[in-house]
Amino acid sequence: MTQTVAVLGTGKIGEALLSGMLRAGWRPANLLVTARRAERADELRTRYGVDTVTNAEAAKRADILILAVKPQDMGRLLDELTPHVTADRLVISAAAGIPTSFIEDRLTPGTPVVRVMPNTPVLVDEGMSVISAGSHATPDHLAHTEEIFGGVGKTLRVPESQQDAATALSGSGPAYFYFLVEAMTDAGILLGLPRAQAHDLIVQAAIGAAVMLRDSGEHPVKLREAVTSPAGTTISAIRELENHGVRAALIAALEAARDRSRELASGNG
C-alpha cells in the first residue's frame, strides 16, 4: 500500500474503488483521481482528501493506473496517457469489452495491462471483479489488482478468453436478479399483497437464498430440493417454470449477452 494509485475517470465504479481502498488502509496521500468536470473533482477532493489531477499528471506520478472510463472514451484517454506511461507502470482497465491488446498496442511496449470486469455491487462492497492478465502482466501484477478490487467484494482470475462469458454471467448478472425480483413483486401484487410487502418478502428471500448458497457449500439443486415437498406448493411452481421454458430462456439470454460482449470487444458496437 506504499505505491501510488490513480483512478482515471472517477464515476460510480471508480469512486467505489477509491472508497474501498481507503477503508482497506490506503492513505489518501497515495491516491490520485481524475474527473472530467471540475465540480466533480472538487467533490472527490473534499469527500476523500485525495489529490485531483489531470490524466497526464496521473500518468507521470502513479505506479498503478486504473482506467475506469466508459469504453467509448478509452481511445481518447490512451492518447493522453501514451506519452507519459513507461513500461514500469501497471495499467488496470475496468472498461467493459476492451481487450488488453487494444491498450497494449497504444502504450510503451512491455507495459503490463490487467483487464477487470467488476459489477455494480462493488458500490455496496459485494461486487465480483473478474481479472485477466494481458501479455506482459505477471502474477505480482494480478496480486496488486486483487488487493485493490478485493476491497469492494470478491475477485476471480480467468483467462482473457473467458471474459465475455464472465461479463454475461457476472457483469450483467445483477440485472437478471433485479428483473426476477420485479416480476415476482408483480406476481405478489396479483396474489393480493401490497407492493411494499411483496417487495420486502422477495428481497429478503433473495438475500437469504444467496447467503445459503455462499455459506452452506451445498449444490443449488440440493438446496432447492430441501424446499420442494412432494405434491406441495413449490413443486407446482417449479413445474410451471419448466413448462414456460424459463431454464432455456436463461441459457439463451446469457448466450446473447456473451455474443454482444464479443461484438463490443471487436469494435462492432
Side-chain angles (χ1 to χ4, degrees):
M1 295 184 183
T2 59
Q3 293 178 305
T4 299
V5 178
V7 181
L8 285 70
T10 314
K12 288 185 177 180
I13 298 296
E15 185 176 357
L17 287 173
L18 176 64
S19 62
M21 283 188 283
L22 288 167
R23 288 192 301 277
W26 291 80
R27 296 188 303 121
N30 293 119
L31 300 174
L32 307 171
V33 299
T34 77
R36 180 177 296 179
R37 296 178 291 106
E39 56 268 30
R40 173 63 171 164
D42 291 341
E43 176 187 333
L44 293 166
R45 183 170 52 250
T46 301
R47 183 177 298 167
Y48 299 106
V50 296
D51 278 351
T52 55
V53 297
T54 65
N55 291 327
E57 187 176 354
K60 294 174 186 176
R61 291 175 54 185
D63 303 295
I64 300 173
L65 302 173
I66 302 174
L67 313 185
V69 298
K70 293 185 170 78
Q72 60 267 29
D73 296 329
M74 182 63 78
R76 184 168 64 250
L77 175 62
L78 291 173
D79 288 341
E80 292 184 55
L81 299 181
T82 296
H84 310 291
V85 177
T86 54
D88 59 345
R89 302 287 197 268
L90 168 59
V91 177
I92 301 171
S93 170
I98 301 292
T100 55
S101 59
F102 179 90
I103 300 171
E104 290 169 344
D105 289 347
R106 286 158 178 79
L107 297 177
T108 302
T111 301
V113 178
V114 175
R115 177 177 172 182
V116 183
M117 181 69 246
N119 59 13
T120 55
V122 298
L123 298 170
V124 292
D125 294 347
E126 290 291 350
M128 172 57 82
S129 298
V130 183
I131 297 172
S132 299
S135 56
H136 307 296
T138 67
D140 281 346
H141 295 131
L142 292 175
H144 286 317
T145 306
E146 288 172 333
E147 181 182 20
I148 292 169
F149 283 81
V152 289
K154 294 183 177 294
T155 62
L156 177 70
R157 296 186 192 184
V158 302
E160 190 168 10
S161 61
Q162 295 178 2
Q163 274 282 357
D164 294 317
T167 296
L169 267 73
S170 178
S172 301
Y176 314 145
F177 289 98
Y178 302 146
F179 184 87
L180 182 61
V181 168
E182 178 188 4
M184 293 176 71
T185 300
D186 287 344
I189 295 168
L190 179 66
L191 297 175
L193 291 170
R195 176 175 292 277
Q197 289 185 5
H199 174 82
D200 289 348
L201 288 170
I202 295 304
V203 169
Q204 187 56 39
I207 293 170
V211 171
M212 289 186 71
L213 279 167
R214 184 190 65 193
D215 295 348
S216 70
E218 297 286 0
H219 193 282
V221 169
K222 187 169 183 180
L223 292 174
R224 178 179 59 79
E225 288 176 344
V227 189
T228 309
S229 303
T233 59
T234 305
I235 193 61
S236 296
I238 295 294
R239 180 186 62 184
E240 290 302 314
L241 291 172
E242 295 289 8
N243 287 343
H244 286 80
V246 171
R247 188 187 303 266
L250 282 170
I251 293 171
L254 268 69
E255 286 181 324
R258 178 208 58 196
D259 294 345
R260 181 56 178 157
S261 181
R262 287 176 176 172
E263 289 175 3
L264 292 171
S266 65
N268 297 322

